[in-house]
Amino acid sequence: MFPNFSNNITYNNIISLDNLLGAWEEFLKGKRKRKDVQEFQMNLMDNILTLQNELKTKTYTHGSYQAFNISDPKPRNIHKACVRDRLLHHAIYRQLYFSFDKKFIFHSYSCRRNKGTHRALGAFTKMAQKVSANHTKTCWVLKCDIKKFFASIDHKILLNILEERITDTDVLWLLKQVIKSFHTQLSKGLPLGNLTSQLLVNVYMNEFDKFVKHKLRMRYYVRYADDFVFLSHDCSYLMNILPQVEQFLSDTLKLSLHPHKVGIKTVASGVDFLGWIHFPSHRVLRTTTKKRMYRGLYRAEGKNETLQSYLGLLQHGDAHDLQQKAADLVHTLQ
């Protein structure tokens, strides 16, 4: 559970014993059997009090990261902090989340409570229906993707954005320790493994969301992390705003669009967004997503919980045959 939220983000609230203990309970979920977590828990109060003292005296320094690769579905480089630092990430997150989340636009769906992929898919479908007048007119979609998103977050720009919204200088000092603990090149990049990164990239991209809503005045726009779409009945309008989008991202946020993942298509021809191909009356699972599902089932050796997870995914599109095939595969593997 998140603590009772106050509009004032204060350092004392972040480093309070209540907040650190609450953060530990949240962090612990699903990790109780991990060796590093068990070692930290053996002397839990001593470890937390030591961390709190370091934060009070500002002698705290963020540790190094353990790097490893995953395929989800494309190769990603994950950086994992030690237990102490991840506990602190949770403590920061639970105090900052609501203060920032309430300032985000409605149609930003990544890493937010009561949002997520499925609601983003639903928003896209509803917008396509409205723009096409219930599929009686052509609906054009400009789809964009940011190149090397997490690795391209500029530390200086991010800290400037935070300074505009946080008055407590000690909080800013702490956030700087976390942000500066990792960089890919020229003080850029946030680690995919940090809980704080999920919030901070939304803070960063909220500047773009405001540009889209207030400057471009785009009514039909959905963003999920670095994937976003604009919907319109006017293809030429979407073509005209694309240079403005590129310029804002480059000039203001030092981000660039992926050259091979930007395009304009009609919903009637099928739009690839968030793992599904969207058509006027239905959506089908993207081929790469389908292959990833089968690989996941094989790796899990037909475990029922893995099957249920994928069946939950398949409920959000026209995938009855796939559901049956997945169930049959699990039955074969068991």
Side-chain angles (χ1 to χ4, degrees):
M1 294 292 291
F2 283 95
N4 292 329
F5 171 70
S6 166
N7 284 328
N8 296 320
I9 300 171
T10 68
Y11 191 66
N12 286 337
N13 283 344
I14 292 174
I15 70 171
S16 70
L17 192 58
D18 282 347
N19 191 50
L20 291 171
L21 288 170
W24 174 255
E25 290 302 314
E26 292 167 6
F27 168 76
L28 199 57
K29 293 175 183 176
K31 305 183 185 72
R32 293 179 184 273
K33 295 182 179 180
R34 296 181 183 175
K35 184 178 179 181
D36 56 348
V37 175
Q38 291 176 344
E39 289 175 351
F40 190 92
Q41 192 169 25
M42 284 178 63
N43 299 292
L44 180 62
M45 284 309 301
D46 285 345
N47 287 330
I48 287 182
L49 289 171
T50 298
L51 172 61
Q52 186 189 45
N53 184 61
E54 290 178 3
L55 292 167
K56 283 181 177 179
T57 58
K58 287 192 177 179
T59 55
Y60 166 81
T61 56
H62 196 288
S64 58
Y65 291 87
Q66 175 188 355
F68 57 95
N69 296 317
I70 63 169
S71 295
D72 185 31
K74 59 186 178 183
R76 295 181 185 274
N77 190 228
I78 305 295
H79 289 81
K80 177 182 173 183
C82 68
V83 171
R84 180 193 70 148
D85 293 331
R86 283 184 284 155
L87 164 60
L88 180 59
H89 298 165
H90 277 261
I92 294 171
Y93 184 90
R94 70 199 308 266
Q95 289 291 331
L96 266 62
Y97 176 84
F98 282 111
S99 178
F100 282 103
D101 187 77
K102 67 177 185 177
K103 299 180 186 299
F104 297 156
I105 67 167
F106 184 83
H107 291 299
S108 162
Y109 287 91
S110 175
C111 301
R112 297 179 64 191
R113 298 183 80 197
N114 302 316
K115 298 288 183 177
T117 308
H118 299 148
R119 284 197 164 98
L121 293 172
F124 178 90
T125 298
K126 289 179 181 179
M127 289 184 186
Q129 289 174 338
K130 289 182 180 179
V131 172
S132 66
N134 204 22
H135 310 304
T136 60
K137 299 178 180 178
T138 301
C139 175
W140 293 90
V141 179
L142 167 60
K143 182 179 179 300
C144 301
D145 184 291
I146 294 173
K147 183 179 179 182
K148 296 181 179 179
F149 181 44
F150 275 80
S152 300
I153 302 297
D154 186 280
H155 290 182
K156 183 177 180 181
I157 293 172
L158 175 58
L159 288 167
N160 286 341
I161 294 170
L162 293 170
E163 286 172 3
E164 292 176 0
R165 290 156 178 76
I166 298 174
T167 57
D168 191 318
T169 56
D170 290 335
V171 174
L172 291 171
W173 171 83
L174 181 57
L175 289 172
K176 188 174 182 179
Q177 304 308 305
V178 175
I179 292 168
K180 293 291 186 180
S181 68
F182 176 86
H183 63 86
T184 51
Q185 57 178 343
L186 301 175
S187 293
K188 286 190 174 186
L190 293 177
L192 277 167
N194 281 9
L195 178 63
T196 48
S197 297
Q198 298 177 10
L199 176 61
L200 293 174
V201 293
N202 271 337
V203 171
Y204 202 80
M205 285 301 290
N206 188 53
E207 301 301 301
F208 177 67
D209 294 338
K210 291 189 295 184
F211 166 76
V212 169
K213 287 297 183 180
H214 303 319
K215 298 296 182 181
L216 298 182
R217 296 189 177 278
M218 277 297 305
R219 183 177 180 185
Y220 300 110
Y221 163 73
V222 179
R223 183 177 66 80
Y224 188 94
D226 56 336
D227 288 337
F228 52 92
V229 290
F230 305 91
L231 298 87
S232 175
H233 66 277
D234 188 344
C235 180
S236 60
Y237 173 72
L238 294 179
M239 293 177 66
N240 288 334
I241 68 167
L242 181 55
Q244 298 177 61
V245 167
E246 291 178 308
Q247 184 173 2
F248 179 88
L249 288 171
S250 176
D251 294 351
T252 307
L253 299 177
K254 290 186 167 51
L255 298 174
S256 58
L257 295 179
H258 197 297
H260 304 303
K261 296 183 180 180
V262 175
I264 300 177
K265 295 185 69 176
T266 64
V267 174
S269 66
V271 174
D272 186 341
F273 182 52
L274 299 181
W276 294 85
I277 309 298
H278 300 258
F279 294 95
S281 59
H282 67 287
R283 67 173 76 108
V284 296
L285 201 64
R286 183 197 296 161
T287 301
T288 53
T289 309
K290 191 188 309 181
K291 290 179 180 177
R292 183 179 65 188
M293 179 186 74
Y294 286 131
R295 285 197 302 270
L297 289 171
Y298 273 111
R299 282 198 298 267
E301 298 179 344
K303 289 182 180 177
N304 187 61
E305 55 265 34
T306 305
L307 171 64
Q308 295 307 317
S309 175
Y310 283 119
L311 291 180
L313 164 69
L314 296 175
Q315 288 177 358
H316 295 272
D318 296 272
H320 177 75
D321 289 345
L322 271 178
Q323 288 176 314
Q324 188 59 52
K325 287 179 181 178
D328 290 344
L329 175 60
V330 166
H331 180 72
T332 303
L333 292 171
Q334 287 175 340

